[in-house]
Amino acid sequence: SQRWHKWVADHPVGGLALIGVIATQLGTYFGYCFQAIGLPRLPWPAYNGALIGGADTWGSPVSQYWAGQSMHFVNGVVFAILFGVLARHSLPGKNTNGGNISKGLLYGVIMTIISAGLLVPYAYVPHQGYGLFLFDGPDGWKLPAGILVWHLIYGYFLGALYQPSDD
């Protein structure tokens, strides 16, 4: 709505931060539901909690989850701000509704390449049989496809919700 876009334009950093929270929450929800469409479940908050220390560091699986959830949302906000400040201006396309959504989707693809190409096989699940881009892992094509769908959902909401005028 015009009211939303005006608020975001009047609060550029706060607007991007809120958009990052919204896009992260929606992507996360769907990531937990991917099994319904035959893709692996992507519980990024739990993975982040394990990555930054696991239950041994945090005292319990619940503490680990909330530490990971916090890290997950900080990542979502930071990447939303990077989208608004750097990527949106650098990506091809017009700054129209459809153009901004396309830029968000392209940003999601770039994030997928980083996630599936480096972070998941070498940070989240090292020594688990996954190679570069995960295709030779136990899930075959399904894990990279799930990571792509997750980031496309996130990118869609970035582009749909962040549409400042370039006046």
Side-chain angles (χ1 to χ4, degrees):
S1 75
Q2 288 181 344
R3 184 175 167 190
W4 166 258
H5 292 298
K6 181 179 179 346
W7 186 87
V8 170
D10 291 344
H11 304 88
V13 175
L16 281 166
L18 180 57
I19 289 167
V21 169
I22 293 167
T24 302
Q25 180 58 40
L26 290 167
T28 302
Y29 169 76
F30 285 107
Y32 277 103
C33 299
F34 280 173
Q35 287 178 322
I37 60 170
L39 295 173
R41 190 170 64 99
L42 294 176
W44 293 123
Y47 292 158
N48 283 327
L51 180 66
I52 61 175
D56 294 338
T57 300
W58 301 107
S60 74
V62 173
S63 300
Q64 173 186 332
Y65 172 83
W66 285 109
Q69 183 80 327
S70 300
M71 181 179 167
H72 181 60
F73 274 92
V74 167
N75 287 342
V77 168
V78 167
F79 283 109
I81 291 170
L82 288 173
F83 172 75
V85 172
L86 299 174
R88 184 177 161 274
H89 300 290
S90 301
L91 295 172
K94 297 184 186 256
N95 291 327
T96 61
N97 181 51
N100 286 323
I101 290 172
S102 295
K103 289 178 182 196
L105 293 171
L106 182 56
Y107 189 66
V109 170
I110 293 166
M111 292 178 68
T112 298
I113 292 168
I114 294 167
S115 180
L118 298 171
L119 294 177
V120 173
Y122 301 111
Y124 288 107
V125 289
H127 314 296
Q128 298 283 323
Y130 293 99
L132 188 63
F133 295 109
L134 313 170
F135 289 108
D136 59 350
D139 297 319
W141 63 270
K142 290 183 177 185
L143 182 57
I147 293 170
L148 174 62
V149 172
W150 194 101
H151 284 99
L152 289 175
I153 292 167
Y154 176 81
Y156 171 83
F157 285 106
L158 287 182
L161 295 173
Y162 185 67
Q163 300 199 14
S165 67
D166 288 332
D167 298 338

